[in-house]
Amino acid sequence: MTEADPRTTTTTATRGGVDTVLSEVPPKTEDLKESRRAGESYRHTFAVHTKLAPSPLSKEAPPESYRGFVNLGMLLLFGNNVRLIIENYQKYGILISLPGSKVSREDWILTGLAHLLIPLNVILSYQLERWAMKRAIGHRKRLADLSSLASSNSHGHTHGGENDNKDPKQVLKDLNKVETSIKRTQNVFGWLHALNVIAILAWPSYMSYYKIFHPFMSITCLMNGTIQFLKMTSYSLTNQDLRAGFIYDLPPEKFLHTRRVHDAASNTFVSHQEVYEYEVNYPNNITFKDMAYFWFAPTLCYQPSYPRSTVFRKSFFLKRVLEAFTCLGMMYFLIEQYATPTLQNSVRAVDQLAFGTMLERVLKLSTTSVLIWLLMFYTFFHATFNALAEMLYFGDRAFYLAWWNAGSVGRYWALWNRPVYIFFKRHIYLPMVTSGASPLLASFVIFTFSAIMHEILIGFPTHLIYGYAFAGMFFQIPLIAMTRPLEKWRGTGTGLGNMIFWVSFTILGQPACALLYYYHWTKRHIDDGSLTPVMSIPVA
């Protein structure tokens, strides 16, 4: 006998040929009238507790929709933000100014100069590959000739050519010379590329730390330099391997072991064709057109060819451009109108080491900083990158995955900035692992390098090498170790791990770091006379 659902069960009592229906659904008017005509009266003995049933919020209850609570949370968030807007306007009025009006003329000129010189190093990377390509063509021909001669001598074949009379020992000696020349050439061009990519990063670093005063102008130089530094590193390393494969005429099967490692380290399967088989082969990829495409493509990893879309969608492109400029305007408004007053009012609290006030300032700043950070993410990783991809017909647009659902800090770093993650995996992690290093050591090297880069990107523009950015990034390692067991315990979508990520990274980490850098930057430039003392804006 099948048990009925108490929410839909209908209890039927029959008396005098008349059915009286009692259920959660109100009885029909006709049934009530018929019951009254039959002289029926209600009996309080009707059973209402007929089944074992958990409370809806209990763990053993079937899944329920909590849309109402989500709506309530959204309304509370909206109401609180409206209150903050009103409060901010009543206290400070309108604080925003014309973008760029606070930047000196000298900073504009120096920033432009820093940006303009970076392309010279990019062109130099291309020229180095042109020279290396010419050497590779000569080495390939010489190696093929000697290999053919050695093979003929070993089988006793002669064709009457002048090289056929060479002593086999001399042929072997010439082969060794060519091998030595190939290795020497590879090393020389490797070092030349290394010096070039270091110069790409060193030039904007020097300008940012010693010449440009305004932090945001410096950041644009360093971001440009860092992007080209990573791009040209990938360009040189990839072409180095392609060049070696071209010289020795290596078949694709030689790289199958690398493919297996790549697949084992991937969250999703990557086919052999996607990894190794390109539409353009070396040395046909060494062209200025190829370099220019990679220069502007929304990726940090060089390939001779990429998956390409076939249609340019004008409306899609214009929407992304409009979104990018709109989000930039919103970010500027939030920084000027909300973040700056909060930071200014935090200077005295840090001076006095008033930890309670400092915590209150950090929590107040977190509301604004989270919004700015989310806008920054959407501006660059969605709007700008998709606009670039549409313009260049770049097909692989997985610039980010669903990082907002990350159940651990480690999963967040693998999902939110895919271009950087893939760069580190391709050019640091996999080479180290395939060379015998442990995955833990490879991850440690990556986070150490990333911590150094974060310190450069934040410490140089603010002229403050205090290690806050380095520490914030480096200590992601213990956070990853702490949150990884949560995924094994509660699954990849664990809410607890997700909350730890949000609290540690956006609620406390980012605003605390911003407060410390603003405090030291303000104090330093007040002391050296670059700024007048900031008058604390009244706080309620």
Side-chain angles (χ1 to χ4, degrees), residues 52-73:
L52 297 175
S55 299
L57 294 179
S58 301
K59 184 178 180 180
E60 60 271 16
E64 286 281 357
S65 172
Y66 298 101
R67 184 178 298 276
F69 285 122
V70 174
N71 293 338
L72 174 62

Side-chain angles (χ1 to χ4, degrees), residues 235-501:
Y235 184 75
S236 62
L237 291 175
T238 304
N239 277 309
Q240 184 180 53
D241 284 349
L242 292 173
R243 190 164 59 247
F246 170 76
I247 293 172
Y248 293 103
D249 198 19
L250 298 178
E253 290 75 17
K254 290 287 186 180
F255 301 99
L256 284 177
H257 71 287
T258 310
R259 173 196 169 234
R260 288 194 293 269
V261 173
H262 187 280
D263 291 345
S266 299
N267 294 325
T268 57
F269 177 77
V270 181
S271 72
H272 176 66
Q273 180 177 0
E274 290 175 324
V275 177
Y276 298 113
E277 294 185 6
Y278 301 120
E279 297 176 4
V280 180
N281 295 321
Y282 190 91
N284 297 327
N285 64 307
I286 308 301
T287 64
F288 187 76
K289 181 181 179 181
D290 176 84
M291 165 59 83
Y293 183 89
F294 176 58
W295 187 356
F296 292 101
T299 178
L300 298 176
C301 290
Y302 174 74
Q303 294 180 186
S305 61
Y306 297 93
R308 302 288 291 272
S309 57
T310 57
V311 179
F312 176 74
R313 298 169 293 175
K314 185 177 179 180
S315 60
F316 178 88
F317 173 76
L318 293 176
K319 285 178 182 177
R320 300 292 83 79
V321 172
L322 180 61
E323 287 173 352
F325 280 103
T326 302
C327 290
L328 285 172
M330 294 172 67
M331 290 167 61
Y332 180 76
F333 173 76
L334 288 170
I335 292 171
E336 288 285 295
Q337 187 69 34
Y338 293 95
T340 301
T342 303
L343 290 168
Q344 289 175 344
N345 289 329
S346 305
V347 173
R348 183 178 299 173
V350 178
D351 262 335
Q352 298 171 352
L353 294 180
F355 294 105
T357 305
M358 289 168 61
L359 178 60
E360 185 271 334
R361 295 287 95 186
V362 167
L363 292 176
K364 184 175 181 179
L365 184 62
S366 66
T367 304
T368 306
S369 68
V370 167
L371 291 175
I372 294 171
W373 182 68
L374 291 175
L375 286 169
M376 180 275 299
F377 159 76
Y378 192 88
T379 300
F380 295 104
F381 288 90
H382 185 76
T384 303
F385 287 180
N386 270 288
L388 272 175
E390 191 69 21
M391 186 170 60
L392 298 172
Y393 297 89
F394 189 84
D396 185 3
R397 305 186 183 186
F399 308 121
Y400 58 92
L401 298 178
W403 56 264
W404 45 87
N405 294 326
S408 68
V409 176
R411 186 167 292 274
Y412 160 76
W413 286 113
L415 298 178
W416 102 276
N417 189 341
R418 295 289 293 175
V420 170
Y421 169 78
I422 294 171
F423 175 90
F424 282 144
K425 179 180 175 182
R426 187 194 197 200
H427 295 301
I428 298 180
Y429 183 84
L430 290 178
M432 290 187 66
V433 170
T434 54
S435 297
S438 68
L440 182 61
L441 176 61
S443 299
F444 179 83
V445 170
I446 288 172
F447 273 95
T448 302
F449 178 76
S450 182
I452 294 172
M453 295 305 299
H454 276 76
E455 185 64 27
I456 291 173
L457 285 169
I458 298 175
F460 280 29
T462 56
H463 313 139
L464 302 168
I465 310 298
Y466 285 180
Y468 296 137
F470 178 89
M473 192 66 203
F474 188 79
F475 284 108
Q476 297 297 307
I477 299 175
L479 278 176
I480 291 172
M482 289 170 55
T483 55
R484 181 175 294 168
L486 291 175
E487 285 193 310
K488 297 180 180 178
W489 174 38
R490 301 175 67 94
T492 56
T494 166
L496 179 59
N498 185 256
M499 285 189 287
I500 291 175
F501 149 66

Side-chain angles (χ1 to χ4, degrees), residues 19 21 25-37:
D19 292 338
V21 180
V25 180
K28 295 180 180 180
T29 305
E30 292 80 5
D31 295 332
L32 292 174
K33 290 180 179 180
E34 188 175 355
S35 179
R36 284 196 292 271
R37 283 196 300 269

Side-chain angles (χ1 to χ4, degrees), residues 88-322:
N88 180 273
Y89 178 75
Q90 289 175 339
K91 286 181 180 179
Y92 315 127
I94 302 298
L95 298 177
I96 59 173
S97 57
L98 187 67
S101 61
K102 297 179 181 178
V103 181
S104 68
R105 182 172 178 270
E106 182 182 6
D107 276 356
W108 280 110
I109 295 173
L110 293 173
T111 301
L113 182 63
H115 282 291
L116 287 173
L117 291 185
I118 291 175
L120 297 179
N121 296 96
V122 176
I123 295 172
L124 180 57
S125 289
Y126 164 69
Q127 189 58 51
L128 286 173
E129 277 306 318
R130 290 281 297 176
W131 293 332
M133 176 194 71
K134 293 177 181 179
R135 295 282 294 176
I137 293 173
H139 282 141
R140 177 188 169 100
K141 185 178 184 303
R142 181 63 175 156
L143 194 63
D145 291 343
L146 290 173
S147 298
S148 176
L149 186 60
S151 177
S152 298
N153 288 338
S154 66
H155 291 86
H157 298 302
T158 59
H159 303 285
E162 64 176 287
N163 290 330
D164 291 339
N165 297 322
K166 277 193 174 183
D167 181 44
K169 292 183 179 180
Q170 183 62 38
V171 173
L172 183 61
K173 187 176 180 180
D174 290 343
L175 273 172
N176 290 332
K177 286 182 179 180
V178 174
E179 291 276 359
T180 302
S181 177
I182 291 171
K183 291 179 181 179
R184 185 186 305 114
T185 302
Q186 290 282 73
N187 289 334
V188 167
F189 280 103
W191 280 108
L192 289 175
H193 272 298
L195 293 174
N196 184 50
V197 297
I198 290 172
I200 292 176
L201 190 59
W203 168 247
S205 298
Y206 168 78
M207 295 294 289
S208 297
Y209 192 77
Y210 291 105
K211 299 297 181 181
I212 302 173
F213 174 76
H214 200 284
F216 287 102
M217 302 299 286
S218 298
I219 285 175
T220 63
C221 301
L222 274 172
M223 285 300 298
N224 186 12
T226 301
I227 291 170
Q228 300 310 322
F229 166 78
L230 297 177
K231 277 177 174 278
M232 293 306 108
T233 298
S234 180
Y235 184 75
S236 62
L237 291 175
T238 304
N239 277 309
Q240 184 180 53
D241 284 349
L242 292 173
R243 190 164 59 247
F246 170 76
I247 293 172
Y248 293 103
D249 198 19
L250 298 178
E253 290 75 17
K254 290 287 186 180
F255 301 99
L256 284 177
H257 71 287
T258 310
R259 173 196 169 234
R260 288 194 293 269
V261 173
H262 187 280
D263 291 345
S266 299
N267 294 325
T268 57
F269 177 77
V270 181
S271 72
H272 176 66
Q273 180 177 0
E274 290 175 324
V275 177
Y276 298 113
E277 294 185 6
Y278 301 120
E279 297 176 4
V280 180
N281 295 321
Y282 190 91
N284 297 327
N285 64 307
I286 308 301
T287 64
F288 187 76
K289 181 181 179 181
D290 176 84
M291 165 59 83
Y293 183 89
F294 176 58
W295 187 356
F296 292 101
T299 178
L300 298 176
C301 290
Y302 174 74
Q303 294 180 186
S305 61
Y306 297 93
R308 302 288 291 272
S309 57
T310 57
V311 179
F312 176 74
R313 298 169 293 175
K314 185 177 179 180
S315 60
F316 178 88
F317 173 76
L318 293 176
K319 285 178 182 177
R320 300 292 83 79
V321 172
L322 180 61

